[in-house]
Amino acid sequence: MLTLHLTNGDSAASALARSGLPGDIVSWRDLLHDGPVPPDDDLGAFHRVRAEFLASRGWSNEAAAVSDFEQRDARLHDVSAGDEVVLWFEPDLYDQLQLIQILARFEGRGEHERPRLTIVPADCYLGPMLPEKLAPLYATRRAITSQDLVHGGVAWRAFTAPTPDDLLEVTNRLDREVTARTYAADDQVRLPHLVAALRRRLEEYPDIDSGLSRSERQLCEALSPGAIILGKLLTAYQATESWVWLGDRSFAWYAERLSDCARPLVVHTNGSRLIAPLRDTEGRGFWDRAVQLTPFGQDVVRARADAVGVNGIDRWIGGTHCTNAQYWRWDARTQRTERFPRT
C-alpha cells in the first residue's frame, strides 16, 4: 500500500519529510487565487493557462511550471484502491482552493477506483510546525466521505465558472450544510474552513462603494495614516486577515495594480509608480522603499471616488474574467454580487 501526502507547498513538505511519517510527499504548487483558473476538464490546456500566467508574473518558468503540474497530476493518477492519500491543508484561501481542486479530481473517479482519502484536522498553519508535531496530527486524520467529495467538486466547478453566480450559491448552501467552522468544534467535520475561504474569495470582487477588492481596501487603509515602507505595509496588511493567504509576490503585484494605472492610488514617496519585481533577485530594494496614498487613493478609501469607474478593470477571479464590458461587484451589506454595467 502506498501512502501519498499532498500539501500546500515546500515549507510544509519539508517539515513532513523530516517528520518520519511513512509515504511520499507532493507539494501542490499553484497560487489559484491569482490569474485565470478555467475548468480543468482538459488538463493539458489547464496546465498551459496556469503556467503562462505564472511565467508572465516571473513567478515560474513556463516549461518548468507545466512539468511540475504534469508530475503532480501523474502522482494522483497513479494512486488507486488500497492506497491512501493524506491531505495536509491549512484554513486559508490559498490552501482551500488547492484542496477543492484535489477533491474534484477524486470525485470524478469511481468509488472502487479511489484510494482511501483522509484529511489532517489542521486549525493551524502547517509550514511553521516542528516536524515532531506532525505525527500526532497525522494520527487524528479523518476519512473523506463521498459527500465531502461532492462538496469539493461543486465548489471547484463554481470557482472556475465564468460568472460568480454559482460560487455565491454554493457558498451559501455549504454555509447551511457545514455548520462547524473549526475541526475542534466538531470531530466529524472534514471541511470546516471551506465556507469562510469561498466567501473570502467573493470579497475579492471590487466592492459596490469604492471599486476596491477587500485586499486592496486593507492595503490602502494601512496606508491612510501616512507613508510606510513596503515590507512593513505587507506585515500590516497580513495582520488584517483571519488567516493569512496572500504571499509577498502576490502582494507586490496587487500594490502594482493600484499604482500602474490611469490614476494611481499608491505611489512611492517621490511620486513614481510601483513596479513589482519579476524575479526574486530584482526585489532586494523593492521592500525597503516607502509608499503612500495619492489624493485620489484617499478619496477612494473614503468612498468619495470609484477606482474601477476611473481606472477600469481587467482581472481574472477564478474562471471569471472581469473587464469593462462586464464585471461584478461585491456588496458586503447584502452579501451578494451584482453585475456591471447595470442593464
Side-chain angles (χ1 to χ4, degrees), residues 148-170:
D148 298 325
L149 293 178
V150 170
H151 285 165
V154 297
W156 175 253
R157 288 185 288 277
F159 170 60
T160 59
T163 78
D165 300 339
D166 289 347
L167 185 60
L168 179 61
E169 189 277 328
V170 167

Side-chain angles (χ1 to χ4, degrees), residues 93 164 167-168 171 195-208 210-218 237 240-243 245 254 257 315 317 328-333 335-337:
L93 176 63
L167 185 60
L168 179 61
T171 302
V195 169
L198 296 180
R199 204 168 298 280
R200 184 65 188 85
R201 173 76 287 183
L202 288 164
E203 292 171 343
E204 283 305 286
Y205 285 90
D207 70 32
I208 205 81
S210 66
L212 294 175
S213 71
R214 177 175 157 182
S215 291
E216 291 168 341
R217 169 167 292 283
Q218 290 168 175
Y237 161 78
T240 65
E241 295 282 359
S242 298
W243 292 102
W245 55 275
Y254 289 21
R257 286 199 319 235
R315 186 185 315 160
I317 303 175
W328 287 260
R329 290 182 185 245
W330 175 250
D331 189 333
R333 290 178 289 272
Q335 295 286 291
R336 298 191 64 82
T337 53

Side-chain angles (χ1 to χ4, degrees), residues 241-257:
E241 295 282 359
S242 298
W243 292 102
V244 176
W245 55 275
L246 199 65
D248 56 355
R249 290 180 175 184
S250 292
F251 180 85
W253 182 41
Y254 289 21
E256 178 186 286
R257 286 199 319 235

Side-chain angles (χ1 to χ4, degrees), residues 9 18 29 47 50 72 76 103 205 217 281 306 314:
R18 291 179 282 120
R29 302 184 192 92
H47 293 162
R50 292 301 300 159
R72 74 173 193 199
L76 253 63
L103 294 176
Y205 285 90
R217 169 167 292 283
T281 55
D306 186 276
D314 184 2

Side-chain angles (χ1 to χ4, degrees), residues 251-269:
F251 180 85
W253 182 41
Y254 289 21
E256 178 186 286
R257 286 199 319 235
L258 293 169
S259 186
D260 192 24
C261 49
R263 288 193 67 184
L265 288 78
V266 178
V267 293
H268 291 294
T269 50

Side-chain angles (χ1 to χ4, degrees), residues 67-266:
S67 176
D68 187 52
F69 295 153
E70 289 175 344
Q71 290 178 42
R72 74 173 193 199
D73 288 343
R75 296 304 307 272
L76 253 63
H77 182 270
D78 289 343
V79 292
S80 58
D83 298 328
E84 180 179 1
V85 174
V86 186
L87 306 172
W88 298 78
F89 290 94
E90 298 169 352
D92 59 83
L93 176 63
Y94 172 90
D95 282 49
Q96 294 294 302
L97 293 177
Q98 294 178 340
L99 176 60
I100 60 174
Q101 183 182 21
I102 292 165
L103 294 176
R105 299 280 180 87
F106 284 113
E107 183 202 17
R109 291 201 196 183
E111 183 177 354
H112 300 293
E113 300 172 353
R114 289 196 295 262
R116 180 189 180 211
L117 291 168
T118 58
I119 190 164
V120 171
D123 288 328
C124 58
Y125 298 114
L126 295 167
M129 290 185 71
L130 296 173
E132 58 266 26
K133 300 292 186 180
L134 298 179
L137 200 55
Y138 171 76
T140 64
R141 66 196 186 281
R142 304 175 184 183
I144 290 288
T145 67
S146 297
Q147 188 61 44
D148 298 325
L149 293 178
V150 170
H151 285 165
V154 297
W156 175 253
R157 288 185 288 277
F159 170 60
T160 59
T163 78
D165 300 339
D166 289 347
L167 185 60
L168 179 61
E169 189 277 328
V170 167
T171 302
N172 289 335
R173 177 155 54 86
L174 291 180
D175 197 6
R176 296 188 297 269
E177 295 178 7
V178 184
T179 55
R181 292 293 175 263
T182 65
Y183 289 101
D186 186 335
D187 60 7
Q188 297 301 313
V189 73
R190 284 88 171 172
L191 306 174
H193 298 290
L194 181 54
V195 169
L198 296 180
R199 204 168 298 280
R200 184 65 188 85
R201 173 76 287 183
L202 288 164
E203 292 171 343
E204 283 305 286
Y205 285 90
D207 70 32
I208 205 81
D209 297 317
S210 66
L212 294 175
S213 71
R214 177 175 157 182
S215 291
E216 291 168 341
R217 169 167 292 283
Q218 290 168 175
L219 187 160
C220 290
E221 286 176 345
L223 276 175
S224 286
I228 187 175
I229 66 170
L230 276 160
K232 291 184 177 180
L233 179 61
L234 172 59
T235 301
Y237 161 78
Q238 290 180 332
T240 65
E241 295 282 359
S242 298
W243 292 102
V244 176
W245 55 275
L246 199 65
D248 56 355
R249 290 180 175 184
S250 292
F251 180 85
W253 182 41
Y254 289 21
E256 178 186 286
R257 286 199 319 235
L258 293 169
S259 186
D260 192 24
C261 49
R263 288 193 67 184
L265 288 78
V266 178

